[in-house]
Amino acid sequence: MPLIVVVGGWFGDEGKGKVVSYLGLVDKPSICVRTGSINAGHTVNYNGRTWKLRILPSCFVNETTRLMIAPGALLKVDVLFREIEETGSRGRVWVDANTGVIEDRHVESERSNEYLMKVIGSTGQGVGAAMVDRVLRVLKTAKEFPELRELITDVSKEVNEELDRGGEVIIEGTQGTFLSLYHGTYPFVTSRDTTAAGVISEVGVSPRLVSDVILVFKAYVTRVGAGELPGELSMEEVIARGWAERGTVTGRPRRAAPFNMDLARRAVMLNRPTQIAITKFDALFPDAHGKKRWDDLPVEARRWLENISEALRVPITLIGTGEDSMDMIDMRREVMGP
Ligand code: IMP
Ligand code: MG
């Protein structure tokens, strides 16, 4: 009964979409559940096409996987239907009856909130405002929307039954450990707990059923919005290193810093991963670009990975070497790490 939970180790944008889409293609899980909400943009590049998903699970690339939205997640009806069309996944998308629904007034309320927009640097997608309504118990949920009627299911029941049958389920976390409402750099955080524990709570599955937690670290650290970023580089330096990126949802330039071992250790403590995925490895070691086997990596690239794996005492199992979902070195079948 493999239940795999994928979460971010930095401040979001670690490449969870790429990792989850890869796992979808090779593991072909029965179910992939998306947590979080539409403030999170997960990018999938596969076979020459690019999708920027804000609510659908990144496993959509595997056509046999059922795609579910967690009861603890928040969707926006127009975003959901747009993504179902863009990904051609009509007929295999399911929404929990209790999934929260963001309405235009939530977006308007955030966009006119100066503290949120200017001090925190919110993405202004209405997620926090909808969470406020949820806690006040006035937020509408998916079961109240006739247009969602055909998509409604009991996600925690489906997931638990699938695990009991011996099927594979992937839970896709959003944002990153240090944007967690409880464990991040408060108040410069998002409106939910983004750690492994928070993510499974959104789905309704016991910690006892989790077989693997995969913690995703990009090869360098990025952050959009306000809040501390240890070792932050100047924008000129970020560009010179080839690390310039823009936010998927907002288009804002991402601040960047080198891989940070102190943050990584804390992310490991908070999530206790069984595996680590490193993404954008080819941004650090251009010779690694497009490589699919450990033996094809340059020696210094291998040493960098070994040092990190030893320092964190967690095996590095997945190494992203390019944009495409399949540009991945998969160590789950080879042996590495302490
Ligand atoms: P909010 O959750 O949209 O209110 O944004 C709060 C903070 O979290 C801001 O710094 C955002 O830039 C950041 N944030 C929210 N979602 C994401 C994400 O998916 N990736 C990266 N940063 C995010
Ligand atoms: Mg993102």
Side-chain angles (χ1 to χ4, degrees):
M1 39 129 246
L3 172 58
I4 300 175
V5 179
V6 180
V7 286
W10 305 133
F11 300 90
D13 309 314
E14 297 91 354
K16 294 174 294 295
K18 183 208 159 88
V19 169
V20 171
S21 63
Y22 171 80
L23 292 173
L25 290 164
V26 298
D27 287 16
K28 305 190 189 311
S30 314
I31 298 176
C32 183
V33 193
R34 174 68 138 77
T35 62
S37 192
I38 60 166
N39 44 0
H42 288 189
T43 303
V44 175
N45 294 289
Y46 180 54
N47 267 344
R49 281 193 68 186
T50 300
W51 294 267
K52 293 184 183 298
L53 303 169
R54 295 166 56 193
I55 194 63
L56 277 195
S58 301
C59 283
F60 81 89
V61 285
N62 177 56
E63 288 174 3
T64 60
T65 301
R66 293 204 292 153
L67 310 171
M68 300 196 180
I69 319 285
L74 299 165
L75 61 80
K76 196 157 178 290
V77 174
D78 55 341
V79 175
L80 176 71
F81 282 112
R82 199 184 316 136
E83 291 186 4
I84 290 175
E85 288 317 310
E86 283 170 3
T87 57
S89 52
R90 190 195 289 260
R92 57 188 179 105
V93 173
W94 301 94
V95 172
D96 194 88
N98 284 331
T99 302
V101 178
I102 299 168
E103 298 187 73
D104 289 334
R105 64 192 163 84
H106 297 117
V107 180
E108 285 150 23
S109 125
E110 286 200 348
R111 299 227 169 139
S112 59
N113 181 328
E114 280 211 11
Y115 171 71
L116 214 47
M117 297 310 291
K118 298 224 170 99
V119 180
I120 303 296
S122 171
T123 61
Q125 298 302 306
V127 183
M131 282 301 281
V132 169
D133 277 358
R134 180 133 203 176
V135 174
L136 293 174
R137 278 134 306 162
V138 294
L139 184 71
K140 287 192 182 151
T141 54
K143 59 183 174 291
E144 293 169 79
F145 289 77
E147 61 269 51
L148 296 175
R149 192 175 301 136
E150 306 219 308
L151 309 186
I152 300 290
T153 192
D154 182 339
V155 169
S156 47
K157 186 160 178 275
E158 296 265 15
V159 165
N160 278 279
E161 284 179 357
E162 187 57 41
L163 293 171
D164 287 341
R165 276 197 291 272
E168 177 169 329
V169 176
I170 295 178
I171 298 181
E172 178 173 359
T174 55
Q175 288 108 5
T177 297
F178 299 104
L179 287 180
S180 166
L181 182 58
Y182 308 139
H183 310 294
T185 54
Y186 188 88
F188 303 102
V189 294
T190 191
S191 47
R192 63 184 59 247
D193 178 16
T194 54
T195 64
V199 158
I200 62 169
S201 149
E202 284 185 33
V203 177
V205 65
S206 164
R208 291 181 53 214
L209 294 189
V210 176
S211 17
D212 275 296
V213 173
I214 302 182
L215 185 60
V216 184
F217 290 120
K218 188 157 52 185
Y220 48 95
V221 189
T222 57
R223 177 163 203 170
V224 283
E228 67 194 70
L229 176 58
E232 180 166 4
L233 302 168
S234 69
M235 261 310 149
E236 297 83 79
E237 180 64 22
V238 172
I239 292 163
R241 292 189 187 206
W243 297 355
E245 301 176 5
R246 281 184 180 274
T248 309
V249 173
T250 57
R252 292 177 290 183
R254 290 181 184 151
R255 302 154 60 200
F259 191 99
N260 185 301
M261 196 54 87
D262 293 333
L263 282 180
R265 279 204 184 88
R266 192 165 174 84
V268 165
M269 179 190 81
L270 289 166
N271 296 286
R272 286 292 172 130
T274 56
Q275 304 176 34
I276 285 173
I278 301 283
T279 60
K280 288 224 170 181
F281 192 55
D282 55 316
L284 277 197
F285 297 96
D287 290 351
H289 184 76
K291 295 287 187 284
K292 298 211 163 65
R293 293 179 56 240
W294 174 258
D295 289 343
D296 295 337
L297 288 178
V299 176
E300 66 281 26
R302 281 188 250 163
R303 198 165 302 136
W304 189 92
L305 292 164
E306 281 164 348
N307 285 342
I308 285 175
S309 182
E310 274 159 31
L312 298 176
R313 303 184 154 279
V314 182
I316 294 173
T317 54
L318 299 168
I319 304 153
T321 58
E323 281 206 323
D324 192 272
S325 298
M326 294 305 293
D327 289 333
M328 189 76 89
I329 297 173
D330 188 341
M331 305 294 292
R332 293 178 301 169
R333 284 158 201 110
E334 308 179 41
V335 186
M336 189 216 159

